[in-house]
Amino acid sequence: MSFEPILTKYRHEKDSHTIDFYRGHGGYEQAKKAIHDWAPDDLIEEVKKSNLRGRGGAGFPTGVKWSFVPKQTDKPKYLAVNADESEPGTFKDRVIMETDPHLLLEGIMISCWAVGINTAYIYIRGEMVHGYNQLVSACKEAYAAGFLGKGIFGSDFELDVTVHRGAGAYICGEETGMLTSLEGERGQPKLKPPFPAIEGLFGCPTVVNNVETLANLPFILEKGADHFRSIGPEKSPGPKLFCVSGHVEKPGTYELPMGVNLLTLINEHCGGVWKGRKLKAVIPGGSSAHVLHADECDVNMDIESLAAGGSMLGSAGVIVMDETTDMVDALLNIMKFYHHESCGQCTPCREGTGWLEKIVHRLHQGRGRKEDLDVVFDVCDRMIGKTICVLADAAAFPAMSFIDKFRDEFLAKCTNSDRSTAQATSGAGGVNV
Amino acid sequence: MTDLAFSKDAMKEYEWMLTRYPNKEAALLPTLRIAEREFENLDPAAMKYVADLMGLSPAKVLGVVTFYTHYRREGTGTYHLQVCSTLSCALRGSEDVCAHLSAKLGVGLGETTDDGLFTLSKVECLASCDTAPMLQCNDDYHEGLTLEDVDHLIDRLREEAKAGGAA
Ligand SMILES: Cc1cc2nc3c(=O)[nH]c(=O)nc-3n(C[C@H](O)[C@H](O)[C@H](O)COP(=O)(O)O)c2cc1C
Ligand code: SF4
Ligand code: FES
């Protein structure tokens, strides 16, 4: 099956980030069509029909999310574009923002027209200075061309877009954390409900969408919902950016139809496991996803298939580990991350991520006991579903699945197990710095 | 205590920024970016200036600054070398990059060289996992690093600093 990239078609072309290039390749025609030819409600129906599902991690149907926003309200409505991209293993939104920022802006125009929004913020993580500069200059170009501001395409539609820099905090990728941060606060998540669609930014109805999600909209309008649905599996259709990193020959962002087989992705697109080594494990959806054992990797990369396979598509950050990977070491790395990034509001998360790191650290040093593995599951059990946001769950999933699927390696680190190879000090050569 | 103040341009940028949000407070993060640039880092005097400017309490500003890891804080060297050490980078040798830098510069993590040029830190995933191992130095990403690349980078930055071109 041959598939031509849609979202990253021009990424390697010179000046692909400029408005002249973008317009020269049909850019902004779909936004114009939306504003001239589409009634907002019909547009929402069309996006519903396309079954576009959020690319930020949760996979919620985009059109359905839009339809939750009240039509009649005396409050302003907002779009908050999630460009925080901080899930370990994920680097796709960056490609769009750096090489094709106008594609994102056109997507923003279409969604704002559909939902009746006049103000959008793009929340980009602070570290991405290049992406920020690209977006700021794209906005300037779009304002100068009359595509943003007042009276867009001769209509009375008005739209302002502001690029807002974050400052380094994983939790600001979680939608309510992002909104809190946008309000000028410490980026701590809030309890839902109320959902952002009803009470979000500045207490007003707010749509939160991921960069890649919005970048699909011009294509949906151009080719129609039916065509979009003909790509990939019915329940989660469309083109998808897969981020592959770790032990493969050719890491990178690969645009393929949703549902590509994971082994095909690794072996055919990414040149296989590096150095001719064997595959040991894959995390398919960013570090918050359950790890897959090599035996489980013959699975399709879409929302339903991965859920059935005991993991999740998440952000489609595919982290590949070869046969030499020390799984205790790898898990310790992940646990340090979540402990560092917990915002500290909820006791199960603040304390739980700390305990998980401590226990895995002890195992890593060869000072663990086999009862420690049960303690890990006990701690996870007290974290999952018991906190304000799902960062706690995101920390628990890798902990449980690593130990479940590579138990022997963990037991080997315990001083009192049959399989013990543990010594009093740490083993040599690990992935942890 | 020196009297800090935004330059004319910075003040203009700040005022424009205020027009982008329905209330002042929402402009705090972007304003801190301006302050970071104007005053080189966010020391207590810089935070106090922002608080006064925006009519916020210094405690509120401190609370926000300390929540985020990316603001340039007091005591950072001219070049802040931030080595990504999250899983994808770790799988491809970020530990070696860190150890190499630490030995080469004679500093541990979080420390600054005596000449005030380099601060070495470890940071979490920078969304560049396909070019691991990588580091961020001030605004720039340096990707797909070999130890040789690291040596070249340090040499180049030292020369840049000597020539007075450091940011
Ligand atoms: C801890 C945590 C981190 C998240 N990080 C991101 C992120 O970096 N980018 C993103 O788009 N969504 C992230 N999400 C998902 C958002 O909460 C939200 O579901 C998404 O932005 C909605 O957009 P979509 O429907 O277009 O996917 C994160 C969620 C959680 C719980
Ligand atoms: S679950 Fe963790 S990250 Fe989420 S709000 Fe609670 S403490 Fe913060
Ligand atoms: S793990 Fe280093 S950039 Fe993502």
Side-chain angles (χ1 to χ4, degrees), chain A residues 433, chain B residues 79-85 93-115 117-123 126 133-138 140-158:
Chain A
V433 180
Chain B
Y79 299 104
H80 191 187
L81 303 166
Q82 306 173 78
V83 183
C84 172
S85 57
S94 61
E95 180 185 17
D96 298 341
V97 170
C98 241
H100 186 74
L101 275 168
S102 176
K104 190 177 171 77
L105 300 174
V107 290
L109 292 171
E111 294 176 0
T112 302
T113 52
D114 291 338
D115 58 8
L117 272 189
F118 299 102
T119 302
L120 180 63
S121 304
K122 260 173 36 174
V123 292
L126 290 168
M134 59 82 64
L135 63 79
Q136 178 165 27
C137 174
N138 298 355
D140 299 323
Y141 279 18
H142 299 271
E143 304 170 298
L145 295 171
T146 62
L147 297 186
E148 254 180 9
D149 296 336
V150 173
D151 287 340
H152 288 151
L153 175 66
I154 298 300
D155 291 348
R156 190 166 64 68
L157 294 176
R158 279 189 174 134

Coordinates of all heavy atoms in Angstrom, one line a residue, chain A residues 433, chain B residues 79-85 93-115 117-123 126 133-138 140-158:
Chain A
V433 N 21.7 8.2 34.2 CA 22.8 9.2 34.3 C 23.0 9.5 35.8 O 22.0 9.8 36.5 CB 22.6 10.5 33.5 CG1 23.7 11.4 33.7 CG2 22.4 10.1 32.1
Chain B
Y79 N 26.7 30.0 29.5 CA 26.1 28.9 28.7 C 25.5 27.8 29.6 O 26.2 27.3 30.4 CB 27.1 28.2 27.8 CG 27.7 29.2 26.8 CD1 29.0 29.7 27.0 CD2 27.0 29.7 25.7 CE1 29.6 30.7 26.1 CE2 27.6 30.6 24.8 CZ 28.8 31.1 25.0 OH 29.4 32.0 24.2
H80 N 24.2 27.6 29.5 CA 23.6 26.6 30.3 C 23.5 25.3 29.5 O 22.6 25.2 28.6 CB 22.2 27.1 30.8 CG 21.7 26.2 31.9 ND1 20.4 26.4 32.4 CD2 22.2 25.1 32.5 CE1 20.1 25.5 33.3 NE2 21.2 24.7 33.4
L81 N 24.3 24.3 29.8 CA 24.3 23.0 29.0 C 23.3 22.1 29.7 O 23.5 21.7 30.9 CB 25.6 22.4 29.0 CG 26.8 23.3 28.4 CD1 28.1 22.7 28.8 CD2 26.6 23.4 26.9
Q82 N 22.2 21.8 29.0 CA 21.1 21.0 29.6 C 21.0 19.7 28.9 O 20.5 19.7 27.8 CB 19.8 21.8 29.6 CG 19.9 23.1 30.3 CD 18.7 24.0 30.1 OE1 17.7 23.8 30.8 NE2 18.7 24.9 29.2
V83 N 21.6 18.7 29.5 CA 21.6 17.4 28.8 C 20.3 16.6 29.0 O 20.0 16.4 30.2 CB 22.8 16.5 29.3 CG1 22.9 15.2 28.5 CG2 24.1 17.3 29.2
C84 N 19.7 16.2 28.0 CA 18.5 15.4 28.2 C 18.9 14.0 28.7 O 19.7 13.4 28.1 CB 17.6 15.3 26.9 SG 16.3 14.1 27.1
S85 N 18.2 13.6 29.7 CA 18.6 12.3 30.3 C 17.4 11.3 30.4 O 17.5 10.3 31.0 CB 19.3 12.4 31.6 OG 18.4 13.1 32.5
G93 N 23.0 6.8 25.0 CA 24.3 7.3 25.5 C 24.3 8.7 26.1 O 25.4 9.3 26.2
S94 N 23.2 9.2 26.7 CA 23.3 10.5 27.3 C 24.1 10.5 28.5 O 24.7 11.5 28.9 CB 21.9 11.0 27.6 OG 21.2 10.2 28.5
E95 N 24.2 9.3 29.2 CA 25.1 9.2 30.3 C 26.5 9.5 30.0 O 27.2 10.2 30.7 CB 25.0 7.8 30.9 CG 25.9 7.6 32.1 CD 25.9 6.1 32.6 OE1 25.5 5.2 31.8 OE2 26.3 5.9 33.7
D96 N 27.0 9.0 28.8 CA 28.3 9.3 28.4 C 28.5 10.8 28.1 O 29.6 11.3 28.5 CB 28.7 8.5 27.2 CG 28.6 7.0 27.4 OD1 28.6 6.6 28.6 OD2 28.5 6.2 26.4
V97 N 27.6 11.4 27.5 CA 27.7 12.8 27.2 C 27.8 13.6 28.5 O 28.7 14.5 28.7 CB 26.4 13.3 26.4 CG1 26.4 14.8 26.3 CG2 26.4 12.7 25.1
C98 N 27.0 13.3 29.5 CA 27.0 14.0 30.8 C 28.3 13.8 31.5 O 29.0 14.7 32.0 CB 25.9 13.4 31.7 SG 24.7 14.6 32.1
A99 N 28.8 12.5 31.5 CA 30.0 12.2 32.2 C 31.2 12.9 31.5 O 32.1 13.5 32.2 CB 30.3 10.7 32.2
H100 N 31.2 12.9 30.2 CA 32.2 13.6 29.4 C 32.3 15.1 29.7 O 33.3 15.6 30.0 CB 32.0 13.3 27.9 CG 33.0 13.8 27.0 ND1 34.3 13.2 26.9 CD2 33.1 14.9 26.2 CE1 35.0 13.8 26.1 NE2 34.4 14.9 25.6
L101 N 31.1 15.7 29.7 CA 31.0 17.1 30.0 C 31.5 17.4 31.4 O 32.2 18.4 31.7 CB 29.6 17.6 29.8 CG 29.3 18.0 28.4 CD1 27.7 18.2 28.2 CD2 30.0 19.3 27.9
S102 N 31.1 16.6 32.3 CA 31.4 16.8 33.7 C 32.9 16.7 33.9 O 33.6 17.6 34.6 CB 30.7 15.8 34.6 OG 31.1 15.9 35.9
A103 N 33.6 15.8 33.3 CA 35.0 15.6 33.4 C 35.7 16.8 32.7 O 36.7 17.3 33.2 CB 35.5 14.3 32.8
K104 N 35.3 17.1 31.5 CA 35.9 18.1 30.7 C 35.8 19.5 31.4 O 36.8 20.3 31.3 CB 35.2 18.2 29.3 CG 35.9 19.0 28.3 CD 35.2 19.0 27.0 CE 35.8 20.0 26.0 NZ 37.1 19.6 25.4
L105 N 34.7 19.8 31.9 CA 34.5 21.1 32.5 C 34.9 21.1 34.0 O 35.0 22.2 34.6 CB 33.1 21.5 32.4 CG 32.5 21.7 31.0 CD1 31.0 22.0 31.0 CD2 33.3 22.8 30.2
G106 N 35.1 19.9 34.6 CA 35.4 19.9 36.0 C 34.3 20.3 36.9 O 34.5 20.9 38.0
V107 N 33.1 20.1 36.5 CA 31.9 20.4 37.4 C 31.0 19.3 37.5 O 30.9 18.4 36.6 CB 31.1 21.7 36.8 CG1 31.9 22.9 37.0 CG2 30.7 21.4 35.4
G108 N 30.2 19.2 38.6 CA 29.2 18.3 38.7 C 27.9 18.8 38.2 O 27.8 20.0 37.7
L109 N 26.8 18.0 38.3 CA 25.5 18.5 37.9 C 25.0 19.7 38.7 O 25.2 19.7 39.9 CB 24.5 17.4 38.0 CG 24.7 16.2 37.0 CD1 23.8 15.1 37.3 CD2 24.5 16.7 35.5
G110 N 24.5 20.7 38.0 CA 24.0 21.9 38.7 C 25.1 22.9 39.1 O 24.8 23.9 39.7
E111 N 26.3 22.5 38.7 CA 27.4 23.4 39.1 C 27.9 24.3 37.9 O 27.6 23.9 36.7 CB 28.6 22.6 39.6 CG 28.3 21.9 40.9 CD 29.5 21.0 41.4 OE1 30.5 20.9 40.7 OE2 29.3 20.4 42.4
T112 N 28.5 25.4 38.2 CA 29.0 26.3 37.2 C 30.5 26.4 37.3 O 31.1 26.3 38.3 CB 28.4 27.7 37.5 OG1 27.0 27.6 37.5 CG2 28.8 28.7 36.4
T113 N 31.1 26.4 36.1 CA 32.6 26.5 36.1 C 33.1 27.8 36.7 O 32.4 28.8 36.7 CB 33.1 26.5 34.6 OG1 32.4 27.5 33.8 CG2 32.9 25.1 34.0
D114 N 34.3 27.8 37.2 CA 34.9 28.9 38.0 C 34.9 30.2 37.1 O 34.7 31.3 37.6 CB 36.3 28.6 38.4 CG 36.3 27.6 39.6 OD1 35.2 27.4 40.2 OD2 37.3 26.9 39.8
D115 N 35.1 30.0 35.8 CA 35.1 31.2 34.9 C 33.7 31.7 34.6 O 33.5 32.7 33.9 CB 35.9 30.9 33.6 CG 35.3 29.8 32.9 OD1 34.2 29.3 33.2 OD2 35.9 29.3 31.9
L117 N 31.5 30.4 32.8 CA 31.0 30.2 31.5 C 29.9 29.2 31.3 O 28.9 29.4 30.6 CB 32.2 29.8 30.6 CG 33.0 30.9 29.9 CD1 34.0 30.3 28.9 CD2 32.1 31.9 29.2
F118 N 30.1 28.0 32.0 CA 29.2 26.9 31.8 C 28.5 26.4 33.1 O 29.2 26.2 34.1 CB 30.0 25.7 31.2 CG 30.7 26.0 29.9 CD1 32.0 26.3 29.8 CD2 29.9 26.0 28.7 CE1 32.7 26.6 28.6 CE2 30.6 26.3 27.5 CZ 31.9 26.6 27.5
T119 N 27.3 26.2 32.9 CA 26.5 25.4 34.0 C 26.1 24.1 33.3 O 25.6 24.1 32.2 CB 25.3 26.2 34.4 OG1 25.7 27.5 34.9 CG2 24.6 25.5 35.5
L120 N 26.3 23.0 34.1 CA 25.9 21.7 33.5 C 24.6 21.2 34.3 O 24.6 21.2 35.5 CB 27.0 20.7 33.7 CG 26.8 19.3 33.3 CD1 26.6 19.2 31.8 CD2 28.0 18.4 33.7
S121 N 23.6 20.8 33.5 CA 22.4 20.3 34.1 C 21.9 19.1 33.4 O 22.2 18.9 32.2 CB 21.2 21.3 34.2 OG 21.6 22.5 34.8
K122 N 21.1 18.3 34.1 CA 20.4 17.2 33.4 C 18.9 17.7 33.3 O 18.4 18.3 34.3 CB 20.4 16.0 34.3 CG 21.4 15.0 33.9 CD 21.5 13.8 34.9 CE 20.2 13.5 35.6 NZ 20.3 12.3 36.5
V123 N 18.3 17.5 32.2 CA 16.9 17.8 32.1 C 16.1 16.7 31.6 O 16.6 15.7 31.1 CB 16.6 19.1 31.2 CG1 17.2 20.3 31.8 CG2 17.2 18.9 29.8
L126 N 13.2 16.6 25.8 CA 13.1 17.9 25.1 C 12.4 17.7 23.8 O 12.5 18.6 22.9 CB 14.5 18.5 25.0 CG 15.1 19.0 26.3 CD1 16.6 19.4 26.1 CD2 14.4 20.2 26.8
P133 N 21.8 11.1 21.5 CA 21.6 12.0 22.6 C 21.7 13.4 22.2 O 22.3 13.8 21.2 CB 22.8 11.6 23.5 CG 23.8 11.1 22.6 CD 23.1 10.5 21.4
M134 N 21.1 14.3 23.0 CA 21.1 15.7 22.6 C 21.1 16.6 23.9 O 20.9 16.1 25.0 CB 19.8 16.0 21.8 CG 18.5 15.7 22.5 SD 17.9 17.0 23.6 CE 17.7 18.4 22.4
L135 N 21.4 17.8 23.7 CA 21.4 18.8 24.8 C 20.9 20.1 24.3 O 20.9 20.4 23.1 CB 22.8 18.9 25.5 CG 24.0 19.5 24.7 CD1 24.0 21.0 24.6 CD2 25.3 19.1 25.4
Q136 N 20.4 20.9 25.2 CA 20.0 22.3 24.9 C 21.0 23.2 25.5 O 21.3 23.1 26.7 CB 18.6 22.6 25.4 CG 18.2 24.0 25.1 CD 16.7 24.3 25.3 OE1 16.0 23.6 26.1 NE2 16.1 25.2 24.6
C137 N 21.6 24.2 24.7 CA 22.5 25.2 25.3 C 21.8 26.5 25.1 O 21.6 26.9 23.9 CB 23.8 25.1 24.6 SG 24.9 26.4 25.1
N138 N 21.4 27.2 26.1 CA 20.6 28.4 26.0 C 19.4 28.1 25.1 O 18.6 27.2 25.4 CB 21.4 29.6 25.6 CG 22.5 29.9 26.7 OD1 22.6 29.2 27.7 ND2 23.4 30.8 26.4
D140 N 19.4 27.0 22.0 CA 19.7 26.1 20.8 C 19.7 24.6 21.2 O 20.3 24.2 22.3 CB 21.0 26.4 20.1 CG 20.9 27.9 19.6 OD1 19.8 28.3 19.1 OD2 21.9 28.6 19.7
Y141 N 19.2 23.8 20.3 CA 19.3 22.3 20.5 C 20.6 21.9 19.7 O 20.9 22.3 18.6 CB 18.1 21.6 19.8 CG 16.9 21.6 20.7 CD1 16.7 22.4 21.7 CD2 15.8 20.7 20.4 CE1 15.5 22.4 22.5 CE2 14.7 20.6 21.1 CZ 14.5 21.5 22.2 OH 13.3 21.4 22.9
H142 N 21.3 20.9 20.4 CA 22.5 20.3 19.7 C 22.1 18.8 19.7 O 22.0 18.2 20.8 CB 23.8 20.6 20.4 CG 24.1 22.1 20.4 ND1 24.8 22.7 19.4 CD2 23.7 23.1 21.3 CE1 24.8 24.0 19.7 NE2 24.2 24.3 20.8
E143 N 22.0 18.2 18.5 CA 21.4 16.9 18.4 C 22.4 15.9 17.8 O 23.3 16.2 17.2 CB 20.1 17.0 17.5 CG 19.2 18.1 18.1 CD 18.0 18.4 17.1 OE1 18.3 18.9 16.0 OE2 16.9 18.2 17.5
G144 N 22.0 14.6 18.1 CA 22.8 13.5 17.5 C 24.2 13.6 17.9 O 25.1 13.5 17.1
L145 N 24.5 13.8 19.2 CA 25.8 14.2 19.7 C 26.8 13.0 19.8 O 26.4 11.9 20.3 CB 25.8 14.8 21.1 CG 25.1 16.2 21.2 CD1 24.9 16.6 22.6 CD2 25.9 17.2 20.4
T146 N 28.0 13.1 19.3 CA 29.1 12.2 19.6 C 29.9 13.0 20.6 O 29.8 14.2 20.8 CB 30.0 11.9 18.4 OG1 30.5 13.1 17.9 CG2 29.1 11.3 17.3
L147 N 30.8 12.3 21.3 CA 31.7 12.9 22.3 C 32.6 14.0 21.6 O 32.9 15.0 22.2 CB 32.5 11.9 23.1 CG 31.7 11.0 23.9 CD1 32.6 10.1 24.8 CD2 30.6 11.7 24.8
E148 N 32.9 13.7 20.3 CA 33.7 14.7 19.6 C 32.9 16.0 19.3 O 33.4 17.1 19.4 CB 34.0 14.1 18.2 CG 35.4 13.7 18.1 CD 35.7 13.1 16.7 OE1 34.8 13.2 15.8 OE2 36.8 12.6 16.5
D149 N 31.6 15.8 19.0 CA 30.7 16.9 18.8 C 30.7 17.8 20.1 O 30.7 19.0 20.0 CB 29.3 16.5 18.5 CG 29.1 15.8 17.2 OD1 30.0 15.9 16.3 OD2 28.2 15.0 17.1
V150 N 30.7 17.1 21.2 CA 30.6 17.8 22.5 C 31.9 18.6 22.7 O 31.8 19.8 23.0 CB 30.4 16.8 23.6 CG1 30.6 17.5 25.0 CG2 29.1 16.1 23.5
D151 N 33.0 18.0 22.3 CA 34.3 18.8 22.4 C 34.3 20.0 21.6 O 34.7 21.1 22.0 CB 35.5 17.9 22.0 CG 35.8 16.8 23.1 OD1 35.3 17.0 24.2 OD2 36.4 15.8 22.8
H152 N 33.8 19.8 20.3 CA 33.8 20.9 19.4 C 32.9 22.1 19.9 O 33.2 23.2 19.8 CB 33.3 20.5 18.0 CG 34.3 19.7 17.3 ND1 34.0 18.7 16.4 CD2 35.7 19.7 17.4 CE1 35.1 18.2 15.9 NE2 36.1 18.7 16.5
L153 N 31.8 21.7 20.4 CA 30.8 22.7 20.9 C 31.5 23.5 22.0 O 31.4 24.7 22.0 CB 29.6 21.9 21.5 CG 28.5 22.8 22.1 CD1 27.9 23.8 21.1 CD2 27.4 22.0 22.8
I154 N 32.1 22.8 23.0 CA 32.7 23.6 24.1 C 33.8 24.5 23.6 O 33.9 25.7 24.0 CB 33.3 22.6 25.1 CG1 32.2 21.7 25.7 CG2 34.1 23.3 26.2 CD1 31.1 22.5 26.4
D155 N 34.6 24.0 22.7 CA 35.7 24.8 22.1 C 35.1 26.1 21.4 O 35.6 27.2 21.6 CB 36.5 24.0 21.1 CG 37.3 22.9 21.7 OD1 37.5 23.0 23.0 OD2 37.8 22.1 21.0
R156 N 34.1 25.8 20.7 CA 33.5 26.9 19.9 C 32.9 28.0 20.9 O 33.0 29.2 20.7 CB 32.3 26.4 19.0 CG 31.8 27.4 18.0 CD 31.0 26.7 16.9 NE 29.8 26.1 17.4 CZ 28.7 26.7 17.9 NH1 28.7 28.0 18.0 NH2 27.7 26.0 18.3
L157 N 32.2 27.5 21.9 CA 31.6 28.4 22.9 C 32.7 29.2 23.6 O 32.5 30.4 23.9 CB 30.7 27.7 23.8 CG 29.4 27.0 23.2 CD1 28.7 26.2 24.2 CD2 28.5 28.1 22.6
R158 N 33.8 28.5 23.9 CA 34.8 29.3 24.6 C 35.4 30.4 23.7 O 35.6 31.5 24.2 CB 36.0 28.3 25.0 CG 35.7 27.5 26.2 CD 36.9 26.7 26.7 NE 36.6 26.1 28.0 CZ 36.9 24.9 28.3 NH1 37.5 24.1 27.4 NH2 36.6 24.4 29.5

